[in-house]
Amino acid sequence: MIEIPTDLPADLVPLSWLVGVWEGTGVIDYEVDGRSYSGEFAHRVSFSHDGGAFLNYSADAWLIDAGDRRPLVSEIGYWRLARPAGDADAGPALLPPTAPAVERTADDVEALRNAGGGFDIEVSLVHADGVLELYVGQVKGPRIDLVTDAVVRASGAKTYTAATRLYGLVDNHLLWAWDIAALGRELGSHASARLARAE
């Protein structure tokens, strides 16, 4: 059973079903130029909040190989509803707000609902391997669809140009699928997993 935290800022209510720690396993299946990348992996994902209008995100994955666990990806980032920043918002960088804080209400959030009945969201992720992604998409009930708006790579990172991610809450499990365009291949299926709430 999913319990919705009662101390969330109004902006996080559409994403509230994500809050918690999720663990499980998934499969990798990606092929480039005749080379197959496949296997089973363990995955741990955490969504938390600290009172801001965003969710903190962290995720780690390990390849399961003959009983051994080898590190794969580690990600951190932020998930938030897409809305224009105003004078009451801090930033950019350490710039303080220029107007008094305004407590946003459920009505303020409802005004952000898009024509399709969901809420536009923005997700920024940093991978330990030198890749940064900015996703845009929407949350609609217990489903999230994301597509990269920008990908930035460090000079030593492997080629990675685009991605989509799909998240859904099904039978109290977090299911996700991640398609990527990497290593010279066009966008295609890459990995998926089924996670149960651990905390």
Side-chain angles (χ1 to χ4, degrees):
M1 178 177 191
I2 300 296
E3 293 183 24
I4 305 298
T6 58
D7 60 342
L8 286 177
D11 280 351
L12 295 184
V13 171
L15 297 167
S16 61
W17 55 272
L18 290 168
V19 175
V21 176
W22 303 83
E23 294 180 341
T25 59
V27 293
I28 304 162
D29 187 11
Y30 196 68
E31 187 171 321
V32 179
D33 296 330
R35 180 173 182 178
S36 177
Y37 298 84
S38 61
E40 184 179 5
F41 64 94
H43 201 218
R44 180 180 172 90
V45 175
S46 173
F47 290 94
S48 63
H49 71 96
D50 56 14
F54 54 87
L55 289 180
N56 300 301
Y57 168 85
S58 65
D60 293 287
W62 304 267
L63 187 64
I64 301 170
D65 186 13
D68 292 332
R69 288 168 51 127
R70 294 186 301 163
L72 288 172
V73 71
S74 183
E75 307 175 302
I76 59 170
Y78 303 95
W79 295 52
R80 67 185 193 129
L81 290 189
R83 68 170 178 83
D87 292 339
D89 296 304
L94 294 176
L95 299 180
T98 57
V102 177
E103 186 171 337
R104 293 177 47 78
T105 67
D107 289 338
D108 294 328
V109 173
E110 188 59 33
L112 298 174
R113 193 176 290 276
N114 61 34
F119 295 92
D120 295 331
I121 63 174
E122 300 166 344
V123 176
S124 52
L125 301 179
V126 178
H127 301 229
D129 61 3
V131 172
L132 295 83
E133 299 172 291
L134 174 62
Y135 285 93
V136 295
Q138 79 163 348
V139 56
K140 186 173 182 180
R143 179 183 169 129
I144 296 172
D145 293 277
L146 299 171
V147 61
T148 48
D149 186 49
V151 174
V152 178
R153 293 180 296 116
S155 61
K158 294 180 181 179
T159 304
Y160 180 90
T161 57
T164 63
R165 298 192 191 204
L166 167 67
Y167 294 80
L169 184 64
V170 179
D171 294 330
N172 290 325
H173 285 79
L174 179 62
L175 278 59
W176 64 258
W178 185 3
D179 293 355
I180 63 172
L183 307 177
R185 181 179 156 185
E186 293 184 5
L187 191 67
S189 179
H190 154 250
S192 61
R194 179 183 179 97
L195 311 178
R197 187 177 297 277
E199 298 175 21

